[in-house]
Amino acid sequence: RPSFSEHALPFSASACGLMAPFVLDVKPLEQCRTLEIVWYLPCLKQYHRTRPAEYVSHLLGHEGKGSLLSALKVAGLATSLCAGLDDDDHTSAAARFSIGIELSEAGIAEVDRVVSAVLSYIGFFRR
């Protein structure tokens, strides 16, 4: 079994000369208003019975009163939200969890505020 532990990650913050975490800003080829926030987690396959990623994605994806999406809609920042584990990127080494938010025109101008709202909402889970 090959080991790649001695090699640096190709796009790590230190390899790019940045401090983690970092934001990568790209110019799209076509107009798109989707913000995707991604976390790479340790493998979750050992927790297949309790399914913690599905639980968190359900909490994040809830659309009712008091939800993240509800707050973003009231603020005029977003129109839709989806969250969950990417099945294609769930291996024995890592799992990819993402939140995709379709931003409004105002949301594009206030991306930092949207990200702050997402992280604050996730902070509630720790309490």
Side-chain angles (χ1 to χ4, degrees):
R1 189 173 192 178
S3 173
F4 302 99
S5 60
E6 67 274 3
H7 301 289
L9 295 172
F11 299 108
S12 68
S14 60
C16 296
L18 302 169
M19 302 267 312
F22 63 96
V23 175
L24 181 61
D25 190 19
V26 296
K27 298 202 186 262
L29 297 176
E30 59 185 59
Q31 187 169 1
C32 176
R33 295 192 322 216
T34 303
L35 169 66
E36 185 174 32
I37 303 171
V38 178
W39 290 270
Y40 280 90
L41 308 172
C43 178
L44 299 174
K45 291 187 178 194
Q46 64 189 4
Y47 304 109
H48 68 278
R49 291 184 191 261
T50 56
R51 301 167 47 163
E54 284 82 358
Y55 181 71
V56 172
S57 66
H58 176 74
L59 293 173
L60 287 168
H62 178 63
E63 297 181 3
K65 185 178 179 181
S67 69
L68 173 60
L69 179 59
S70 175
L72 292 172
K73 280 184 172 181
V74 167
L77 300 174
T79 58
S80 68
L81 182 148
C82 63
L85 201 60
D86 187 347
D87 290 331
D88 294 336
D89 284 336
H90 192 188
T91 68
S92 61
R96 181 180 186 262
F97 189 91
S98 64
I99 301 173
I101 304 168
E102 188 68 27
L103 300 173
S104 65
E105 293 286 335
I108 292 171
E110 298 193 54
V111 171
D112 290 344
R113 187 171 161 206
V114 174
V115 171
S116 178
V118 170
L119 297 178
S120 295
Y121 193 79
I122 292 170
F124 286 130
F125 300 165
R126 296 184 70 177
R127 297 182 198 159

